[in-house]
Structures are given as structure tokens and as C-alpha cells.
Amino acid sequence: MNRTGTPATAPQEEWLRLDRQICFSLHAAARAFNGVYRVVLKDLGLTYPQYLVMLALWEHGDLPVKKLGEHLRLDSGTLSPLLKRLEGAGLVHRERSARDERSVQVRLTEEGSALREQALQVPRRIAAATGFDVDEINALRSRLDDLTSALDEAALSAAAP
């Protein structure tokens, strides 16, 4: 067996089966998560990407858009519409830095800070939906973090001259 779970001696056709692709398994799991999050976050009035923004702000406080994007692994072109909708909902406020006009600071409003209390139930509901216990969830998250790091390194190596 090789690392993908496909026997090294398997015919080449096996390598191109959809059910053998780790990327597809991750994609399918992400879509399934999004479906569960859609239901769980409905009461908060947030989409999954908006929830991620709120998590980062609840954890780190006021952040420049650039730093927020780094935490979320999103570029400003993706992040700006999310922030605009959150600002329209009264959850965040964006403000240009007086010291650097290019920098936009994002901060929670009182309403955005208060929403944190309601959000405390979200992780428990998501964990319950997985059917995994806390140790299994932590182990899976750790392995996914390892995978992300390995893929980041591979992408950097592939892009290097």
C-alpha cells in the first residue's frame, strides 16, 4: 500500500478513480460541513464564511483587513464583500487607519460582540453532528493541520525557481 491507500501494484486506472482522490474526500466533507453549518448558523444570521470572520475577531479583537485575511487564508477580494455584509448587518465596523490610508481596521460592534454568547453553542452542535468524541475531533484537526502545512510547503517548493 502507498500513502493514498491504493496498492502500489494497482492498475493505473485505479489511481484515477474518484473514490481514491483525497481531494475529493476533503471536498465532499467540506460540503457536508457547510450544509450542517448552514442550519446551525441560521439562528445567528450568519453564513459559514461570515462565522469564520466573527471567530477571528472574537479571538483577536480589532484587526487590519490584511491580518484578518492571513488568519482566514483569504485574499482581500474575497474578504471585502464578507466584511461589507457584516457591516451592513451591524456586526462589524470598518475604518481606514489615520496613520496609513491603505490599511483598513475591522472592529466588532456591540452587537457583534454580543453575538459571541449565542455562538457558544455552535461548536457543540457541530461536534454532535460528526458523531466523533472530543479526542477524535482533536486528532482529525491535528492531522488536517499537518496536511495543510505539508501542502503549503509543496506549493512553495513547486513555485520556487
Side-chain angles (χ1 to χ4, degrees):
M1 280 283 181
N2 60 31
R3 294 179 76 181
T4 64
T6 303
T9 58
Q12 286 186 356
E13 295 78 32
E14 286 288 308
W15 289 89
L16 295 180
R17 286 180 47 143
L18 185 59
D19 65 352
R20 295 287 189 197
Q21 308 305 309
I22 188 172
C23 58
F24 183 72
S25 293
L26 287 169
H27 173 74
R31 288 183 56 84
F33 260 116
N34 285 339
V36 173
Y37 272 104
R38 189 176 303 111
V39 172
V40 171
L41 294 173
K42 186 176 182 182
D43 293 340
L44 299 180
L46 296 173
T47 64
Y48 176 69
Q50 291 170 342
Y51 174 67
L52 296 180
V53 169
M54 297 301 288
L55 285 173
L57 293 171
W58 290 326
E59 181 178 348
H60 299 286
D62 298 1
L63 288 171
V65 170
K66 182 177 180 177
K67 191 60 138 173
L68 182 58
E70 289 171 7
H71 285 298
L72 298 172
R73 300 177 63 105
L74 295 173
D75 61 43
S76 62
T78 303
L79 192 52
S80 291
L82 285 171
L83 294 173
K84 187 175 185 178
R85 286 191 297 276
L86 287 169
E87 190 170 37
L91 299 175
V92 303
H93 179 71
R94 295 178 295 166
E95 189 174 308
R96 288 218 176 269
S97 168
R99 289 181 300 199
D100 182 357
E101 284 289 317
R102 297 169 297 173
S103 179
V104 175
Q105 191 78 5
V106 182
R107 67 175 169 78
L108 292 165
T109 63
E110 283 185 38
E111 189 177 337
S113 293
L115 190 62
R116 184 180 185 279
E117 191 66 32
Q118 281 181 265
L120 289 171
Q121 49 79 28
V122 172
R124 283 188 285 276
R125 290 182 65 190
I126 296 300
T130 68
F132 292 178
D133 66 34
V134 173
D135 290 338
E136 290 171 313
I137 289 171
N138 288 336
L140 177 58
R141 189 182 60 247
S142 177
R143 292 297 290 160
L144 289 171
D145 290 346
D146 293 345
L147 176 62
T148 300
S149 294
L151 293 172
D152 284 345
E153 287 181 34
L156 283 174
S157 295

Short mmCIF file of all heavy atoms in Angstrom, two decimals, residues 22-54:
data_model
loop_
_atom_site.label_atom_id
_atom_site.label_comp_id
_atom_site.label_asym_id
_atom_site.label_seq_id
_atom_site.Cartn_x
_atom_site.Cartn_y
_atom_site.Cartn_z
N ILE A 22 -7.99 11.95 -2.45
CA ILE A 22 -8.11 12.59 -1.14
C ILE A 22 -8.73 13.97 -1.29
O ILE A 22 -9.52 14.41 -0.45
CB ILE A 22 -6.76 12.67 -0.40
CG1 ILE A 22 -6.98 13.16 1.04
CG2 ILE A 22 -5.76 13.52 -1.16
CD1 ILE A 22 -5.75 13.09 1.91
N CYS A 23 -8.43 14.65 -2.39
CA CYS A 23 -9.00 15.98 -2.60
C CYS A 23 -10.52 15.90 -2.68
O CYS A 23 -11.23 16.78 -2.17
CB CYS A 23 -8.42 16.64 -3.84
SG CYS A 23 -8.66 15.71 -5.37
N PHE A 24 -11.05 14.84 -3.30
CA PHE A 24 -12.50 14.72 -3.39
C PHE A 24 -13.11 14.40 -2.03
O PHE A 24 -14.16 14.93 -1.67
CB PHE A 24 -12.92 13.68 -4.43
CG PHE A 24 -14.41 13.61 -4.58
CD1 PHE A 24 -15.10 14.62 -5.22
CD2 PHE A 24 -15.11 12.55 -4.04
CE1 PHE A 24 -16.48 14.59 -5.32
CE2 PHE A 24 -16.50 12.50 -4.14
CZ PHE A 24 -17.18 13.52 -4.79
N SER A 25 -12.45 13.54 -1.27
CA SER A 25 -12.96 13.24 0.07
C SER A 25 -13.00 14.50 0.93
O SER A 25 -13.98 14.73 1.66
CB SER A 25 -12.08 12.19 0.75
OG SER A 25 -12.20 10.95 0.08
N LEU A 26 -11.96 15.33 0.85
CA LEU A 26 -11.95 16.58 1.60
C LEU A 26 -13.02 17.54 1.09
O LEU A 26 -13.70 18.21 1.87
CB LEU A 26 -10.57 17.24 1.53
CG LEU A 26 -9.50 16.55 2.35
CD1 LEU A 26 -8.12 17.09 2.00
CD2 LEU A 26 -9.78 16.72 3.83
N HIS A 27 -13.18 17.59 -0.22
CA HIS A 27 -14.21 18.45 -0.82
C HIS A 27 -15.61 18.01 -0.37
O HIS A 27 -16.43 18.85 0.03
CB HIS A 27 -14.09 18.38 -2.35
CG HIS A 27 -15.17 19.08 -3.09
ND1 HIS A 27 -15.25 20.46 -3.17
CD2 HIS A 27 -16.22 18.60 -3.78
CE1 HIS A 27 -16.31 20.78 -3.87
NE2 HIS A 27 -16.92 19.68 -4.26
N ALA A 28 -15.88 16.72 -0.41
CA ALA A 28 -17.18 16.20 0.00
C ALA A 28 -17.42 16.48 1.49
O ALA A 28 -18.54 16.87 1.87
CB ALA A 28 -17.27 14.70 -0.30
N ALA A 29 -16.40 16.29 2.31
CA ALA A 29 -16.55 16.57 3.75
C ALA A 29 -16.81 18.06 3.98
O ALA A 29 -17.66 18.42 4.81
CB ALA A 29 -15.30 16.12 4.51
N ALA A 30 -16.11 18.92 3.25
CA ALA A 30 -16.31 20.37 3.40
C ALA A 30 -17.74 20.76 3.00
O ALA A 30 -18.38 21.57 3.68
CB ALA A 30 -15.29 21.14 2.56
N ARG A 31 -18.24 20.19 1.93
CA ARG A 31 -19.61 20.48 1.51
C ARG A 31 -20.62 19.99 2.55
O ARG A 31 -21.60 20.67 2.84
CB ARG A 31 -19.90 19.89 0.14
CG ARG A 31 -19.17 20.64 -0.98
CD ARG A 31 -19.50 20.09 -2.36
NE ARG A 31 -20.92 20.06 -2.66
CZ ARG A 31 -21.63 21.09 -3.13
NH1 ARG A 31 -21.03 22.23 -3.36
NH2 ARG A 31 -22.91 20.96 -3.39
N ALA A 32 -20.36 18.82 3.12
CA ALA A 32 -21.24 18.29 4.15
C ALA A 32 -21.21 19.19 5.39
O ALA A 32 -22.25 19.50 5.99
CB ALA A 32 -20.85 16.86 4.51
N PHE A 33 -20.01 19.64 5.78
CA PHE A 33 -19.88 20.58 6.90
C PHE A 33 -20.66 21.85 6.61
O PHE A 33 -21.38 22.36 7.47
CB PHE A 33 -18.42 20.94 7.16
CG PHE A 33 -17.80 20.18 8.29
CD1 PHE A 33 -16.74 19.32 8.05
CD2 PHE A 33 -18.25 20.33 9.59
CE1 PHE A 33 -16.16 18.62 9.09
CE2 PHE A 33 -17.66 19.63 10.63
CZ PHE A 33 -16.62 18.77 10.38
N ASN A 34 -20.51 22.38 5.40
CA ASN A 34 -21.22 23.61 5.05
C ASN A 34 -22.73 23.44 5.20
O ASN A 34 -23.41 24.36 5.65
CB ASN A 34 -20.86 24.06 3.64
CG ASN A 34 -19.48 24.67 3.56
OD1 ASN A 34 -18.92 25.10 4.56
ND2 ASN A 34 -18.91 24.68 2.37
N GLY A 35 -23.24 22.28 4.84
CA GLY A 35 -24.67 22.02 4.98
C GLY A 35 -25.11 22.05 6.44
O GLY A 35 -26.15 22.61 6.78
N VAL A 36 -24.31 21.44 7.31
CA VAL A 36 -24.64 21.43 8.74
C VAL A 36 -24.49 22.84 9.31
O VAL A 36 -25.35 23.32 10.06
CB VAL A 36 -23.76 20.42 9.51
CG1 VAL A 36 -23.97 20.54 11.02
CG2 VAL A 36 -24.03 19.01 9.04
N TYR A 37 -23.40 23.52 8.95
CA TYR A 37 -23.21 24.89 9.43
C TYR A 37 -24.35 25.80 8.98
O TYR A 37 -24.78 26.68 9.73
CB TYR A 37 -21.87 25.46 8.97
CG TYR A 37 -20.74 25.16 9.92
CD1 TYR A 37 -19.79 24.20 9.64
CD2 TYR A 37 -20.60 25.88 11.11
CE1 TYR A 37 -18.75 23.93 10.50
CE2 TYR A 37 -19.56 25.63 11.99
CZ TYR A 37 -18.64 24.65 11.68
OH TYR A 37 -17.61 24.40 12.55
N ARG A 38 -24.83 25.62 7.76
CA ARG A 38 -25.91 26.46 7.25
C ARG A 38 -27.12 26.40 8.20
O ARG A 38 -27.70 27.42 8.55
CB ARG A 38 -26.32 26.01 5.84
CG ARG A 38 -27.29 26.94 5.15
CD ARG A 38 -27.59 26.51 3.71
NE ARG A 38 -26.38 26.39 2.91
CZ ARG A 38 -25.88 25.22 2.46
NH1 ARG A 38 -26.48 24.08 2.71
NH2 ARG A 38 -24.77 25.21 1.75
N VAL A 39 -27.44 25.20 8.65
CA VAL A 39 -28.57 25.02 9.56
C VAL A 39 -28.25 25.60 10.94
O VAL A 39 -29.05 26.34 11.52
CB VAL A 39 -28.95 23.52 9.67
CG1 VAL A 39 -29.99 23.29 10.75
CG2 VAL A 39 -29.42 23.01 8.32
N VAL A 40 -27.09 25.28 11.46
CA VAL A 40 -26.71 25.70 12.82
C VAL A 40 -26.56 27.22 12.91
O VAL A 40 -26.93 27.83 13.91
CB VAL A 40 -25.41 24.99 13.26
CG1 VAL A 40 -24.87 25.54 14.55
CG2 VAL A 40 -25.65 23.48 13.39
N LEU A 41 -26.04 27.84 11.85
CA LEU A 41 -25.78 29.28 11.89
C LEU A 41 -27.00 30.13 11.52
O LEU A 41 -26.96 31.35 11.67
CB LEU A 41 -24.62 29.63 10.96
CG LEU A 41 -23.26 29.07 11.37
CD1 LEU A 41 -22.23 29.33 10.29
CD2 LEU A 41 -22.81 29.65 12.70
N LYS A 42 -28.05 29.47 11.06
CA LYS A 42 -29.24 30.21 10.64
C LYS A 42 -29.76 31.11 11.76
O LYS A 42 -30.11 32.27 11.52
CB LYS A 42 -30.33 29.24 10.18
CG LYS A 42 -31.53 29.92 9.60
CD LYS A 42 -32.53 28.90 9.08
CE LYS A 42 -33.71 29.63 8.46
NZ LYS A 42 -34.73 28.72 7.99
N ASP A 43 -29.79 30.60 12.98
CA ASP A 43 -30.29 31.38 14.12
C ASP A 43 -29.42 32.60 14.42
O ASP A 43 -29.89 33.58 14.99
CB ASP A 43 -30.40 30.52 15.37
CG ASP A 43 -31.47 29.44 15.25
OD1 ASP A 43 -32.37 29.59 14.39
OD2 ASP A 43 -31.39 28.45 16.00
N LEU A 44 -28.13 32.52 14.05
CA LEU A 44 -27.23 33.65 14.27
C LEU A 44 -27.29 34.66 13.13
O LEU A 44 -26.73 35.75 13.24
CB LEU A 44 -25.78 33.16 14.43
CG LEU A 44 -25.48 32.22 15.58
CD1 LEU A 44 -24.01 31.83 15.59
CD2 LEU A 44 -25.86 32.84 16.90
N GLY A 45 -27.92 34.25 12.03
CA GLY A 45 -27.98 35.13 10.87
C GLY A 45 -26.66 35.25 10.14
O GLY A 45 -26.40 36.26 9.48
N LEU A 46 -25.83 34.21 10.24
CA LEU A 46 -24.51 34.23 9.62
C LEU A 46 -24.37 33.10 8.61
O LEU A 46 -24.93 32.02 8.80
CB LEU A 46 -23.41 34.04 10.68
CG LEU A 46 -23.25 35.11 11.75
CD1 LEU A 46 -22.22 34.66 12.78
CD2 LEU A 46 -22.85 36.43 11.14
N THR A 47 -23.58 33.35 7.59
CA THR A 47 -23.14 32.29 6.71
C THR A 47 -21.87 31.70 7.31
O THR A 47 -21.26 32.30 8.21
CB THR A 47 -22.83 32.81 5.30
OG1 THR A 47 -21.73 33.74 5.38
CG2 THR A 47 -24.06 33.49 4.67
N TYR A 48 -21.44 30.56 6.79
CA TYR A 48 -20.21 29.95 7.30
C TYR A 48 -19.00 30.88 7.15
O TYR A 48 -18.26 31.09 8.12
CB TYR A 48 -19.98 28.59 6.62
CG TYR A 48 -18.69 27.94 7.01
CD1 TYR A 48 -18.51 27.45 8.30
CD2 TYR A 48 -17.65 27.83 6.11
CE1 TYR A 48 -17.31 26.87 8.67
CE2 TYR A 48 -16.46 27.23 6.47
CZ TYR A 48 -16.29 26.76 7.76
OH TYR A 48 -15.11 26.20 8.12
N PRO A 49 -18.77 31.49 5.98
CA PRO A 49 -17.62 32.40 5.88
C PRO A 49 -17.73 33.60 6.83
O PRO A 49 -16.72 34.03 7.41
CB PRO A 49 -17.63 32.87 4.41
CG PRO A 49 -18.38 31.80 3.68
CD PRO A 49 -19.40 31.29 4.66
N GLN A 50 -18.93 34.12 7.03
CA GLN A 50 -19.11 35.21 7.98
C GLN A 50 -18.80 34.75 9.40
O GLN A 50 -18.20 35.49 10.19
CB GLN A 50 -20.54 35.76 7.90
CG GLN A 50 -20.85 36.49 6.61
CD GLN A 50 -22.32 36.79 6.46
OE1 GLN A 50 -23.18 36.20 7.12
NE2 GLN A 50 -22.63 37.71 5.55
N TYR A 51 -19.20 33.54 9.72
CA TYR A 51 -18.91 32.96 11.04
C TYR A 51 -17.40 32.89 11.27
O TYR A 51 -16.92 33.22 12.36
CB TYR A 51 -19.55 31.58 11.13
CG TYR A 51 -19.24 30.78 12.37
CD1 TYR A 51 -19.70 31.17 13.62
CD2 TYR A 51 -18.51 29.60 12.28
CE1 TYR A 51 -19.43 30.42 14.75
CE2 TYR A 51 -18.24 28.84 13.41
CZ TYR A 51 -18.70 29.25 14.64
OH TYR A 51 -18.43 28.49 15.76
N LEU A 52 -16.65 32.49 10.24
CA LEU A 52 -15.20 32.43 10.38
C LEU A 52 -14.60 33.80 10.66
O LEU A 52 -13.70 33.95 11.49
CB LEU A 52 -14.57 31.82 9.12
CG LEU A 52 -14.92 30.37 8.81
CD1 LEU A 52 -14.23 29.92 7.53
CD2 LEU A 52 -14.59 29.45 9.97
N VAL A 53 -15.12 34.83 9.99
CA VAL A 53 -14.66 36.20 10.25
C VAL A 53 -14.94 36.57 11.70
O VAL A 53 -14.07 37.10 12.40
CB VAL A 53 -15.34 37.21 9.28
CG1 VAL A 53 -15.07 38.65 9.72
CG2 VAL A 53 -14.88 36.99 7.84
N MET A 54 -16.15 36.27 12.14
CA MET A 54 -16.52 36.61 13.51
C MET A 54 -15.65 35.85 14.52
O MET A 54 -15.22 36.43 15.52
CB MET A 54 -18.00 36.33 13.75
CG MET A 54 -18.95 37.17 12.90
SD MET A 54 -18.76 38.95 13.12
CE MET A 54 -19.47 39.14 14.77
#
